[in-house]
Every structure is written in structure tokens, then in C-alpha cells.
């Protein structure tokens, strides 16, 4: 699958769709605390938007996230989640007790911030893993075994 | 050996099916599962977490540690799938083009 199977029609459709899919992914992640959605769903949507570009443009597309970047994305997502959990320990709270750090006067606002933060972490992890598995299945990004 | 395993499976299945008849009916309001922490989540979820979506309130706040484990499971499962596909051998960190 080294060659993109793009055509003018696919290219135009993907150009039209991809920004909206990515925007909708951002909406689903950030709005997860007041409507159905959240990190898992938003991460899958984010990965779907990028896979659309990968499928229509093939390997050397311009804003592709390669396997290495996807691995970094997945790791940073899990680390962001765990890091947000560790933060309250510095102020004497429990693990993942978002309102322990004295950021705002309103503890509920801090809990919302913590919730959105871990949702972003989940979304990054899910998106990174989906991109990685897709790359591995498609066989892209395998180094040339010359030596 | 196979016959013994089959018989044991049948016995275990019979025990489980018999026990499941004693479970509360689906959706019973005073079942133990809905009488412990669920009322607290439903009554005070919004004022305690600020999340209109109670699923998110439970998933990301009350049971955040569970969700951390869930994310780790997805991460680990993805890496394991990569290794099974065979990406591990052909896929050295230094050899990456980008």
C-alpha cells in the first residue's frame, strides 16, 4: 500500500471532510462533560480524520502523523493522565483528587479542569494507538531493510 | 480428560444458570447494585463534579483511577497487537524515517 489510491474526487472529498472530522473530534473531547462523548470517542474520531488523509493521499502526505509521532502521542496521552493524577499529591490531596491544587477558589471548576485534562490524555492515547496499529497493518513506515 | 472437563463445564454452567435466577430483575430500583453509591452520584453528581453528563462524572471523576487503568489497557493492548503483527522486528527506533 505504498501508492496512494487518490483521485481528484477522493482528494476533493477528503479535503472537504477532514477538517470537519478533526473539529468534531475536538468538540467531542472538550464537550464530554456536558454531552455524550469524551476522550475515547473523541480520540477515535481524531484518528479517523487523520486516517482519511492517510488513505487518500498515501504515505508522503504533508500533515501525516508517522508511526514515531503516533507512538509519542500515545505515550504522552497516558503520561498526561497519570501526571494530572500525580499533581494533587503535591498539595496533600489524594491521587486524581483534582480540587487539591489551589488554582481556583471554586473546587468544582478545578474538577471540571481536571476532567477535561484527563479526557484529552485519553483521546491522545487512543488516537496514537489507532494510528500505530493502522500503520503496522498497512505496512507503511517499515524501514528499508537494505543492510 | 476431555470428558471430565466437559462434565465440569456443564456442572459450572448449571450452577451459574441456577444462581442467575436469584438475581434481581433487570433495572430493579432497590437492587444492591443501584442502592449503594448510585443515588449519591445521581443526586449530587453535578454539584460535586460540575459535569452535566453523569457518565463523564463517574468515568472521569468518581472512578478516575478506573479510567486510568482502562487507558493503560488500551495502550498496552495496542503495543501487544503491534508486536503480534510483527512490527517489533522490522521497527527499530533508530531506523524510523520520521
Amino acid at each position: 500500500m505504498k501508492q496512494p489510491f487518490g483521485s481528484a474526487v477522493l482528494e476533493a472529498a477528503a479535503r472537504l471532510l477532514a477538517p470537519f472530522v478533526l473539529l468534531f473530534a475536538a468538540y467531542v473531547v472538550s464537550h464530554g462533560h456536558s454531552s455524550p462523548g469524551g476522550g475515547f470517542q473523541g480520540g477515535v474520531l481524531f484518528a479517523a480524520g487523520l486516517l482519511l488523509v492517510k488513505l487518500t493521499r498515501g504515505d508522503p502526505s504533508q500533515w501525516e502523523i508517522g508511526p514515531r509521532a503516533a507512538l509519542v502521542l500515545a505515550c504522552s496521552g497516558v503520561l498526561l493522565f497519570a501526571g494530572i493524577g500525580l499533581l494533587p499529591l503535591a498539595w496533600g490531596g489524594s491521587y486524581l483528587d483534582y480540587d487539591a491544587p489551589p488554582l481556583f477558589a471554586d473546587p468544582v471548576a478545578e474538577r471540571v479542569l481536571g476532567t477535561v485534562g484527563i479526557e484529552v490524555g485519553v483521546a491522545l492515547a487512543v488516537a496514537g494507538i489507532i494510528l500505530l496499529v493502522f500503520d503496522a497493518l498497512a505496512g507503511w513506515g517499515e524501514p528499508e531493510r537494505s543492510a | 480428560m476431555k470428558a471430565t472437563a466437559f462434565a465440569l463445564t456443564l456442572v459450572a454452567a448449571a450452577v451459574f444458570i441456577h444462581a442467575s435466577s436469584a438475581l434481581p430483575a433487570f433495572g430493579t430500583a432497590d437492587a444492591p447494585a443501584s442502592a449503594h453509591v448510585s443515588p449519591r452520584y445521581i443526586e449530587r453528581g453535578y454539584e460535586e463534579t460540575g459535569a452535566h453528563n453523569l457518565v463523564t462524572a463517574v468515568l472521569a471523576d468518581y472512578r478516575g483511577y478506573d479510567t486510568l487503568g482502562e487507558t493503560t489497557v488500551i495502550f498496552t493492548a495496542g503495543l501487544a497487537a503491534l508486536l503480534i503483527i510483527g512490527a517489533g522486528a522490522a521497527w527499530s527506533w533508530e531506523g524510523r524515517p520520521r
Side-chain angles (χ1 to χ4, degrees):
Chain A
M1 215 168 163
K2 299 281 184 200
Q3 294 294 319
F5 48 87
S7 66
V9 176
L10 274 178
E11 174 93 16
R15 271 171 193 254
L16 190 68
L17 269 177
F20 289 105
V21 174
L22 294 177
L23 185 68
F24 190 62
Y27 162 75
V28 168
V29 173
S30 61
H31 215 245
H33 64 279
S34 23
S35 67
F40 292 99
Q41 298 91 325
V44 170
L45 274 170
F46 187 69
L50 292 174
L51 289 187
L52 181 67
V53 177
K54 275 174 185 279
L55 280 172
T56 49
R57 306 207 66 179
D59 195 18
S61 57
Q62 282 163 350
W63 39 296
E64 183 200 349
I65 293 186
R68 184 172 186 164
L71 188 59
V72 171
L73 205 67
C75 293
S76 61
V78 177
L79 285 178
L80 178 67
F81 196 148
I84 289 176
L86 280 176
L87 211 57
L89 296 182
W91 282 274
S94 318
Y95 190 69
L96 285 168
D97 188 12
Y98 312 123
D99 57 13
L103 288 175
F104 306 115
D106 183 13
V108 172
E110 291 185 350
R111 301 205 78 88
V112 171
L113 188 69
T115 305
V116 172
I118 67 154
E119 296 280 15
V120 170
V122 169
L124 291 182
V126 170
I129 281 297
I130 288 182
L131 290 171
L132 263 179
V133 170
F134 177 83
D135 278 337
L137 285 175
W140 292 345
E142 275 183 33
E144 281 82 58
R145 281 188 255 182
S146 52
Chain B
M1 193 62 205
K2 264 187 178 173
T4 321
F6 187 66
L8 281 176
T9 311
L10 279 187
V11 169
V15 168
F16 287 141
I17 290 169
H18 176 69
S20 72
S21 66
L23 288 173
F26 183 74
T28 311
D30 55 353
S34 3
H36 182 47
V37 286
S38 301
R40 161 79 177 263
Y41 292 166
I42 294 167
E43 282 160 19
R44 306 196 47 199
Y46 175 63
E47 55 192 89
E48 281 183 350
T49 68
H52 294 97
N53 183 357
L54 281 181
V55 175
T56 303
V58 174
L59 185 98
D61 202 320
Y62 291 117
R63 300 293 167 98
Y65 195 55
D66 194 2
T67 309
L68 174 64
E70 224 171 290
T71 313
T72 315
V73 163
I74 288 187
F75 180 69
T76 317
L79 293 187
L82 284 182
L83 292 177
I84 290 172
I85 292 167
W91 215 90
S92 72
W93 186 258
E94 290 76 23
R96 309 295 332 130
R98 1 166 224 287

